[in-house]
Every structure is written in C-alpha cells, then in structure tokens.
Amino acid sequence: MLGSVPTTPKLLEDYRPIIGDERTDEIRELAANLRGARVLNVNATAFGGGVAEILGTLVPLMNDAGLYADWQVIRGADDFFNITKAMHNSLQGMYYDWTPEKREIWLNYNRLNADLFDESYDFVIIHDPQPAAIPTFLEERLGRRDGKWLWRCHIDLTEAQVQIWDFLRPHVARYDAAIFTLPAYVNDDLQGPQIFCVPPAIDPLSPKNVDLPRETVDGILARYSVDPRRPMITQISRFDPWKDPLGVIDVYRMVKAEVPDLQLVMVASMASDDPEGWDWYERTVRRAGEDFDIHILSNLNGVGNLEVNAFQRAADVVVQKSLREGFGLVVSEALWKGRPVVAGNVGGIPLQIVNDKIGFLVNSNEECADRLLYLLRNRDEAERMGSTGIEFVRDNFLTTRYLRDYLRIFCQLSGKTSEGRGLPAGRARR
Amino acid sequence: MLGSVPTTPKLLEDYRPIIGDERTDEIRELAANLRGARVLNVNATAFGGGVAEILGTLVPLMNDAGLYADWQVIRGADDFFNITKAMHNSLQGMYYDWTPEKREIWLNYNRLNADLFDESYDFVIIHDPQPAAIPTFLEERLGRRDGKWLWRCHIDLTEAQVQIWDFLRPHVARYDAAIFTLPAYVNDDLQGPQIFCVPPAIDPLSPKNVDLPRETVDGILARYSVDPRRPMITQISRFDPWKDPLGVIDVYRMVKAEVPDLQLVMVASMASDDPEGWDWYERTVRRAGEDFDIHILSNLNGVGNLEVNAFQRAADVVVQKSLREGFGLVVSEALWKGRPVVAGNVGGIPLQIVNDKIGFLVNSNEECADRLLYLLRNRDEAERMGSTGIEFVRDNFLTTRYLRDYLRIFCQLSGKTSEGRGLPAGRARR
C-alpha cells in the first residue's frame, strides 16, 4: 500500500449556512447515488502546495457525504522527485533534456508504486503527472484494472514541451477521464479519456477565508500600523515580475496624487531558499522608498493566513495586478470578503471577475489607477460590486462546488444520474 | 564529564610567515615553560557566537604548542538557558526580575555541572557567567579545587544590574584570575581574583581574513554587479540602530555629491527568527531607494565569510559608523586587508584605530563624509594608512597575540616567567 495521509474530519452541514439548502441538498442527492463508493486520491506530497490543500478539504467532505474516500501519497526517492519536478516544468514549457535514463527512472518508480497498489476502488483519482503511469503498470501486472480511473491535471498543458508530452500522453490516454482546471489548459491531441473541467475553489471555513469580527481586523491593522480610518488598497502576492509589484506601487502613487491619505498594503510569503524572491522583495522595497504609507509585509513580520484575511477585509479595494497568471485564486479569496477587485486581464482572472459588475479587468497602469480612483470615489458602487462578488464566488468558487463537480463526474462515469439535476457533470469540454 | 568539543588541528608554524620569527619564537618559549600543562576551557555552546569561534582556534593552537588543551560545554535544559540568556542581558544593563526560583535553577545546574567535573587540570578557564559557580560547588563537594581557575568574561559589566551582579560576584570572587576584554569593562567592586585584560583577535588564516587573489575578488564583485573600476566604500554590520545603517547611506549621498561614480556595499548576516533585524533591513533598503549603486547584501544573496573578505579587500575605504559598539572587531578585519577605516569613536573602536594614522574616528555624519572624501581624493595617503593598519593589527589583534596573552597569564599564575620577556602578563589593570 502507498502512504495514507490522515485528514481532519469536516462536516458538510457546517457549509449549509454558507451555501444554502439548495446547494447542500444537491450535494446530498449526488452523494446518495454514490453511497459507499470507494474513492482513492493519489498524489506526490502530503504537505505544501495547492493540491495538498484541496485534498485536505475534499477527502473529509466526501467521507462525511457517505463515500469512502482515501488519500495516499506515492513513494519515491530524490532521483525520482528531481525528474518529476523537471517534468512539471517541461509540461509548462521549459526545455529539459529528457534522456532515456531519466524516462527509465520515472517509469521504474511508477512500476514500483503500481506494485504497492493492493486494493480495488470504484474511483481512483491520480493527481498530476508524477504518478500518471500507475494504471499502465497495474494492467501490465494484473491484466486488468478495477474501477474508473481519473487523471486530475492541475497544470496548463498548452505550452508543454512536445518530447515530454509525447512520452506522457500514451499513459494518460488509458484513463477513463481527465479533469483539467480550465478548457484552455487541455492539450488538443489528448484522445481517449472523457474530458472534464473543474476550476479550483476556496474553503470559506479556512483561516484565510473565515469571517472575522471587526475588532480582530482592527487589532491586526493596529499591529502593523495601518490606519483603519484612512483608505487602503492591498495586493496579496509573491514578489515576482508576473505579479508586477513595482507596477502596483506606481499605480498607488498615481492614485495617491488624488487621494493623499491612501495606504497600500502588500503581503507576500517569503521562502529562505528563494534568492529570486529576495531580489524582488528588495526591488519592491526600494521602489516604495521611504513612503511609510506603503506597508510591505510577509511571514518575516509574522503575517500568516489570518492576517491576510484581515487585510483583504479591511481594504477598500483589492488589487491583483498580474501580468501573467495561472488561475489567480486569490481574486476569489478577496471577492469572498465583499471587496471589489481591480485585476490584470490575464490567466484565470477574467473567469472570476465579471468586468464592471464585481470589479474591473485592466490592461495598463493607467487603467488600473483610473478604476481604483473610481471605486475609492464611488463608495456605494464599490459596496454594490463587493456584494455581487460574494454571490459570484458562492455560486462558482467555493470548495462545495468543487465537491459537487467531482460527485457529478463520478455519477456520470458510473452511469448514475443525479435525478435530473445539474448534468452534464462538471463542465464538458466544448 | 562535560561534553567535549572536537576541534580541527592547527599549526603554529602556519602563522610564522604572517607574524614573523620573533613573535612565533616568543610563543614557543612561553609554551616551553608550560609543556604538558593541562588546560580546560568550559563554555555554554559549541556553535555560534564569538566565544565558540575563538576557542575553535585557541584550543588547537595550544595543543600544537605543547600543552594539553581541551574544550568542554556544560549541560543544561531550556529552563537553564532561558535564565542564562536573561542573566547575560541583565549584566549588560537590562532589567530582569531575578526571583529566588530563578536563582535556584541557575545554582542547581551549576551544581550538576560541578558534579560532572571528574578530572584535574592545571588551568581551568570558565567562559562567561553561565558556568561561573562551578568552582563554588566543586569545593563544596571535594573540599578543594585543583589547579588555577580563570573566569573569562567576554561582556562589559559596567552597566550590570546591581541585583544580579551582587548575586554573581561571590562566585567570581573565588577565582584565581578574571580576564576581561578591556579595562573599561571591569566592574570596580570585584575583589579577589587577579585581573587581566585580553582584547579579542582575528584569525588571519580564516576564510574571512585569508589573503585572496585579485581574480577571486573581482569574480565576487562581478557576481554582485559591483564595478571594480569605480570607487567603492563598504560597511559590514548587522542592520540595527547602533550600527547606523541609515546614517551610512546619508553619508554616502553626501560623498556621492562630490564623487558621482561612488558605490556603497552594505553586508549583513540575517537570521529568520529576528523580526527587529528584518525591520531594520527594510528601513535600510527603503532609505537606499532605487539608487542601485547602493548594494544591500546578506546571506540571503549568498554572501558569506569569503564574500565579506572580498568586499573589504575591494573597498577604497571601509566604514564602521557605529553609534554604540562592543569591541567592533570588524574594524581590525578591515585594517588587516590594508584598507583605511573611518569609524565611530565608540566602544573598542578607538583601541583599533590610531586616529589620523590608520584611519579616522568620527562623531557625526558630516565628519564621516569629510574623512571619506579626503581618503577618496588622496589615494597615496589612503594606501599609507592602509599599510600602517596592517602592521597595527599584526602587533595587536591577531589570534597569535591572543594565544600569547593566555600563555603569559598561565606563566604568571604558576610562578613561571618567560625568560625575562614580555611580562607582566596580558595588560594588568591600571
């Protein structure tokens, strides 16, 4: 057996007050069709990264809904994980010399993990490329495989290095289904599995998103010398060129010329083994100079999930001035707090912001400054957009919608329907 | 027995080309008088901090010179080390509530360590306050103590909180000798032990100080985009208010007005668990703003001892604009590289810089800028000062002088003289 990952139990009913009866009951009905189904999630790591975060919520909610869901991690040594890291980068477009030796190492570890596979499941979800060849070797060993197999790809394949995708594709082609984040991430030449799209989601009960009393928010602002009585905008993002932290400061200065008491709070998570991150942190602080209405914060100043939550809630407008973006789920995090968001029109951001309704999509510093100024000067409009944003996230980007999509896919793959509601499962590829 | 610390062997003869025959032979003669003497150093930690660094050189050199030197660390748990940390701070003037319970914990751990003491030595050097009561409890247990006992105090006691010094003093009073860094650090009411002063020293063969080929220096400068053809000043110091990093930048700007191609390199060592250090790092980067002729570097950019060595060697002038200082040994490190130093007239700095001969002591930004400008404009004078500085450090602040001082003290305490040379030992208190 692979390494099983323990999770903290979660109750679907805790989400009912947030998502309402209709959505909760839809999940209950879908789950009723799947009662007792054995579901296994397999990925490469129990800690760190978005996949582990999602599984930590999804697996216990499936269990609470009446399925038997498990989460296991594959086994591997450094040689394997170095190769899968390179594979990950190559699938996103970086060049990598994919020698026969390296292919062999990857295949051998997949064979080893297939050999450790000693139970049957109704649904096996293999996450990302690392363990993608497990069904290949399971069939080789047993002459069959039980249950439905789903490959859950969390990355954008459209720029994939051909050499590596050609190597990976035959293994992926054996799956019953492949689930992508966005239709745009699917590589066109993937034939075989049924394609679904399930965008990511936020957990409204996590410390990053849970509702906070005003006193808690004010206490956190006071701790970092941010004045709650003065207007404030915030961007929560790594310091790297694609998040344009220097542009954020330039935009802030353009707006501050009109709104002199404006404050800017920039928050990032810094890792001590990331020299490029440090360079950009330093570049950002230098651009800020000695304007102490610009607050540049990170884990080094004790800022964690709860503080990020507070700064988002306290902001008059949230900025996400990305020049390039994956999905950019931080936009939904901000919208969920009722804040209008002004964000770069890139990656998954346009899926989260209905332009002019719950925020603004912008393509330049000037546009960004202009929309920020508009929202700071039209508070009623900003509040209205914020309220609309909450409902949009409730409909589309909560973890319960994510759960529902998976249950729908399971129903569809196993020929069960959810009593005429909500099919086709997930969002079928157009 | 306490925990013995292994050290890397060092050869006194490796220092002969650096310090010359006369100084080497003096050490050989002193050591001949002490041949076979058993010396034990006891301190609180095997890693980190100046004391561990000094012992890592002193102990192997004593062994090479013919003594039997050992280094052991005391045992203790968190409760003890929390108290000794507070004790250290109180002895430097911070207030601390020194309850009977806390005194008891300190005494108990000292008793425990005295119980572990199972050998006889000719000289026992107890470093700093943590293990200071060991001889008290050794005498209590055995009714005697063997050999000469020396308390080596590395901190300035003149601001010590009275309560804690009154508690510590009776233990210190039992020693045969007490060694301080500077006469100014001795607390006047210490009676009993013979008082010696041994200032700190640098190891000319360590990576921080060893001679480097010009190509190595240039390679390191190129790696950090510092132009070797343009004038450069450097300060190597933690980012904290007493090292005045903001003042350094202000001074640089004053000089740059006259020397437009001037560069400034500031290097610090950053610890991830030091939020105050991060605040000052940020303050410094903000003051630098987007003047990229100011290079702000640290271990986060991969700067270690070797890089510090290179930046010191490459500097036209080294700055140490301290407003408050312990000994400030970094001044001798810079002088040893033949650079003139402009430094704050505080702490141990005036002992290392003969004003107007090997650098300048300054009391304000204006004075600092004025002297820097003078040295940048009078290159021959700067070179002359640099050369004088090397000789001053060779005479006074190399690790071999430190070894010699200890050997002299051992001779004096045991009634042996070093054939009419160099006594009285160390620098007797005036």
Side-chain angles (χ1 to χ4, degrees), chain B residues 320 327-336 341 343 349 352-353 393:
Chain B
Q320 184 58 37
F327 190 78
L329 196 57
V330 68
V331 166
S332 283
E333 279 174 18
L335 291 173
W336 182 243
V341 177
I349 292 178
Q352 299 170 75
I353 295 181
V393 173

Side-chain angles (χ1 to χ4, degrees), chain A residues 283 286-287 290-291 294, chain B residues 286-287 289-292 294:
Chain A
R283 288 285 286 117
R286 280 177 179 264
R287 181 66 56 95
E290 294 188 290
D291 176 350
I294 304 176
Chain B
R286 281 177 178 265
R287 180 66 57 97
E290 294 188 290
D291 177 350
F292 293 99
I294 305 176

Side-chain angles (χ1 to χ4, degrees), chain A residues 246 253 271-272 274-275 278-279 281-283 285-297 300-301, chain B residues 246 253 271-272 274-275 278-279 281-283 285-297 300-301:
Chain A
L246 305 183
R253 291 207 162 110
S272 59
D274 175 17
W278 286 108
D279 284 353
Y281 171 77
E282 187 193 324
R283 288 285 286 117
V285 175
R286 280 177 179 264
R287 181 66 56 95
E290 294 188 290
D291 176 350
F292 293 97
D293 284 342
I294 304 176
H295 300 263
I296 300 178
L297 302 171
L300 295 166
N301 312 99
Chain B
L246 306 183
R253 291 208 162 109
S272 60
D274 175 18
W278 287 108
D279 285 352
Y281 171 77
E282 187 195 323
R283 289 283 286 116
V285 175
R286 281 177 178 265
R287 180 66 57 97
E290 294 188 290
D291 177 350
F292 293 99
D293 283 341
I294 305 176
H295 300 263
I296 300 177
L297 301 171
L300 296 165
N301 311 101

Side-chain angles (χ1 to χ4, degrees), chain A residues 225-257:
Chain A
S225 308
V226 177
D227 187 342
R229 291 155 307 183
R230 288 165 50 197
M232 187 268 275
I233 57 177
T234 188
Q235 172 161 312
I236 314 291
S237 268
R238 280 199 316 280
F239 296 123
D240 83 28
W242 304 119
K243 310 298 185 191
D244 198 20
L246 305 183
V248 171
I249 292 176
D250 294 345
V251 164
Y252 152 86
R253 291 207 162 110
M254 291 159 80
V255 180
K256 198 177 174 73

Side-chain angles (χ1 to χ4, degrees), chain B residues 398-426:
Chain B
L398 293 188
T399 198
T400 39
R401 189 275 303 149
Y402 197 92
L403 170 65
R404 183 205 63 188
D405 285 356
Y406 271 80
L407 296 178
R408 282 186 181 173
I409 292 170
F410 293 165
C411 283
Q412 184 161 336
L413 287 177
S414 54
K416 294 167 183 159
T417 62
S418 59
E419 307 285 317
R421 194 202 299 265
L423 287 175

Side-chain angles (χ1 to χ4, degrees), chain B residues 310-328:
Chain B
F311 288 125
Q312 286 172 323
R313 285 180 194 281
D316 293 281
V317 188
V318 173
V319 189
Q320 184 58 37
K321 218 195 142 320
S322 301
L323 302 175
R324 197 163 121 173
E325 189 57 84
F327 190 78

